[in-house]
Amino acid sequence: MSEEQNPAVRIDHGSGGWGPGLVVRAHGERNIVLSVTGGDEHPVAKKIAELTGGRVVNAFNAGAPDNQVLCAVINCGGTARSGVYPKKRIPTVNVFNASPGGPLQKYITDDIYVSGVGVDNVQPADPAEAAIGDDSAESAASAPAAPAPAASAATAAAQQPSRQTKEATGFSKFIIKFGGAIGYVITSLLNAGREGVKMILNTVIPFMAYVALIMGIVNYTGLANWIAKSVSPLAGNLWGLLLLGIITALPVLSPFLGPGAAIAQIIGVLMGGQIAAGALPVRYALPTLFAIDGQVGCDFVPVGLGLGEAQSETVDVGVPAVLFARQLTSPLAVVIAYFFSFLV
């Protein structure tokens, strides 16, 4: 029997899972699917063994040499089992939605680990698709078919203890399933928190640093005061507010005016002072608000698209599209606000 005759299986992540997926194939004696989930052998382990021609060994009933383990199926929401097997370069299939974390995180790489795996995520692989360990399997490939009966015997021996466990007590089975369900919920919450922290570190904090930098440049150079004093005379009439709305929404200016809304704050204070002094009617307050805030959110467009996991091509097209759309809607909002201000 040649090694190429052993079928390979593709294991993809499920909903909320992590990793691009794994392709595994049994090689000689390396055909054990180690079920490290507690209770009976996990259905995912059984399906992997069924499709690869391997055998399932329940790690809680019997051990297995590392060099004979095809892959390990775990249900770990923490960091121990998730990292131990990848550290040994054993393909690891986590049925929980756990992403890499903890002190063993550096060993949990996408070429050796996948999570959130359900039975439906285990499918026969393309025969031409390379599997983990194929390059080092030539020596084992020459092994005769002799191990097959031994494997069958070992399979029977390995499955026997699990049947005993299954038939031991129904209450134990209930406890195991209940514990698994609780573990799944806790893992989902833990993983959500972990992803939230990653998003804060990788996206929000860099954005805050960017905003702080832009605010510093605008305020330190006096650019905000200069622009605000230049455009403040426009705030006393509708046509001036329209022009102000167009200026603040200019695609070349709005991304720089957005952070901190420095100009909007200055003009807003000037307008508020004039309205309070009676120099301008109160009805100018609402259109002025829309005129000076035409740039709001323009600095956040690329970050927002990034948070939405948009493709780079979408970002390239989406950013100018939003900025030019704001150029049109900003003066329109001023006109609408001006007429609504008569209802105040």
Side-chain angles (χ1 to χ4, degrees):
M1 177 184 296
S2 65
E3 186 67 16
E4 287 70 22
Q5 290 177 318
N6 290 327
V9 61
R10 164 162 281 281
I11 307 167
D12 294 314
H13 70 76
S15 177
W18 184 90
L22 306 176
V23 178
V24 297
R25 187 198 313 273
H27 298 110
E29 293 183 347
R30 189 165 172 268
N31 60 2
I32 293 176
V33 180
L34 196 62
S35 181
V36 201
T37 57
D40 298 333
E41 294 93 345
H42 197 276
V44 170
K46 291 180 178 178
K47 187 168 183 180
I48 294 173
E50 176 186 349
L51 294 179
T52 59
R55 56 193 176 98
V56 182
V57 171
N58 191 333
F60 289 88
N61 294 333
D66 289 344
N67 60 357
Q68 296 182 15
V69 176
L70 172 61
C71 66
V73 177
I74 64 175
N75 60 346
C76 180
T79 59
R81 280 178 290 170
S82 295
V84 167
Y85 294 104
K87 186 179 181 181
K88 299 178 181 179
R89 298 303 296 168
I90 294 176
T92 303
V93 180
N94 196 344
V95 298
F96 286 172
N97 296 331
S99 57
L104 300 178
Q105 180 178 356
K106 64 179 180 180
Y107 301 107
I108 307 174
T109 53
D110 60 6
D111 63 329
I112 205 73
Y113 177 87
V114 63
S115 69
V117 178
V119 175
D120 294 338
N121 302 121
V122 180
Q123 299 294 335
D126 188 327
E129 195 169 6
I132 297 175
D134 278 354
D135 294 340
S136 60
E138 283 75 8
S139 59
S142 60
S152 300
T155 303
Q159 290 178 344
Q160 187 63 26
S162 66
R163 293 195 184 98
Q164 292 174 354
T165 301
K166 183 177 180 180
E167 296 170 357
T169 166
F171 180 73
S172 297
K173 187 176 181 179
F174 167 75
I175 292 298
I176 291 170
K177 288 189 174 182
F178 180 76
I182 294 297
Y184 180 82
V185 172
I186 293 177
T187 299
S188 298
L189 296 176
L190 178 63
N191 198 50
R194 186 180 297 152
E195 292 297 326
V197 171
K198 285 183 180 178
M199 180 174 291
I200 293 294
L201 293 176
N202 297 331
T203 304
V204 177
I205 289 182
F207 170 69
M208 293 174 66
Y210 158 74
V211 170
L213 174 64
I214 295 298
M215 287 184 64
I217 294 175
V218 170
N219 289 322
Y220 181 77
T221 59
L223 179 62
N225 287 328
W226 180 79
I227 296 178
K229 291 178 180 177
S230 299
V231 301
S232 58
L234 303 176
N237 57 82
L238 174 62
W239 299 110
L241 290 175
L242 278 173
L243 181 59
L244 185 58
I246 294 174
I247 293 174
T248 57
L250 283 173
V252 296
L253 285 180
S254 55
F256 295 95
L257 301 179
I263 294 176
Q265 292 180 44
I266 296 173
I267 297 180
V269 171
L270 293 175
M271 284 294 298
Q274 294 186 39
I275 292 174
L280 289 175
V282 178
R283 69 172 183 272
Y284 278 102
L286 187 59
T288 301
L289 176 66
F290 285 92
I292 64 177
D293 286 332
Q295 80 287 352
V296 171
C298 291
D299 57 311
F300 190 76
V301 177
V303 180
L305 291 174
L307 287 174
E309 299 182 355
Q311 300 293 329
S312 58
E313 295 82 0
T314 304
V315 176
D316 293 341
V317 176
V319 172
V322 174
L323 296 183
F324 279 100
R326 184 61 64 84
Q327 177 71 91
L328 298 177
T329 58
S330 178
L332 181 61
V334 173
V335 173
I336 295 174
Y338 177 79
F339 286 106
F340 268 87
S341 67
F342 288 96
L343 303 177
V344 178

